[in-house]
């Protein structure tokens, strides 16, 4: 079974720590990004999310948000699934959308990556 609780590292060397997953699937933690929109030092940002409990024999899906408000006016939403390979290694696969604030409706086209 895949456990979201713990420390995770991605391909960009950013770290995410999930402190605990509650019985209802809610979780929170911290994200230390090595990739910033403005450049500069890595910063810690809050993570809030939920895990869908898998059916029998399945792997859990989850979604979480990271609010980058300490150094950027942006929010990222992640959705993914946790897998365990034959050797017992846990892997999270995710897709993400990052939304930056823009000054007008006319600039909306460039606000989401």
């Amino acid at each position: 079974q895949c456990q979201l609780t713990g420390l995770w590292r991605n391909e960009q060397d950013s770290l995410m720590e999930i402190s605990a997953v509650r019985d209802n699937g809610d979780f929170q933690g911290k994200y230390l990004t090595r990739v910033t929109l403005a450049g500069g030092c890595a910063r810690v940002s809050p993570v809030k999310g939920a895990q869908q409990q898998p059916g029998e024999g399945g792997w859990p899906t989850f979604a979480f948000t990271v609010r980058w408000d300490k150094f950027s006016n942006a929010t990222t939403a992640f959705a993914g699934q946790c897998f365990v390979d034959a050797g017992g290694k846990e892997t999270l696969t995710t897709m993400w959308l990052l939304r930056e604030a823009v000054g007008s409706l006319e600039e909306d086209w460039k606000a989401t990556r």
Side-chain angles (χ1 to χ4, degrees):
Q1 174 152 353
C2 204
Q3 300 293 323
L4 291 182
T5 302
L7 187 63
W8 298 91
R9 179 184 311 271
N10 72 8
E11 297 89 1
Q12 303 298 323
D13 234 14
S14 296
L15 298 173
M16 178 176 67
E17 183 176 23
I18 298 175
S19 52
V21 178
R22 295 191 179 107
D23 289 341
N24 67 358
D26 290 352
F27 62 87
Q28 57 188 5
K30 298 179 272 187
Y31 199 103
L32 175 66
T33 185
R34 300 281 184 210
V35 179
T36 64
L37 295 173
C41 299
R43 306 277 178 110
V44 174
S45 297
V47 170
K48 289 188 180 181
Q51 172 182 297
Q52 178 68 32
Q53 299 303 328
E56 192 156 328
W59 306 113
T61 58
F62 57 88
F64 63 90
T65 59
V66 180
R67 195 179 69 235
W68 310 111
D69 62 348
K70 297 230 180 356
F71 59 93
S72 172
N73 192 7
T75 302
T76 303
F78 294 80
Q81 189 169 3
C82 188
F83 296 96
V84 180
D85 69 13
K89 180 182 177 187
E90 296 173 320
T91 300
L92 304 182
T93 61
T94 62
M95 295 292 292
W96 56 268
L97 287 172
L98 181 138
R99 177 64 187 219
E100 293 180 80
V102 292
S104 68
L105 183 58
E106 291 75 29
E107 295 177 291
D108 184 62
W109 66 272
K110 66 178 182 178
T112 303
R113 298 179 194 199

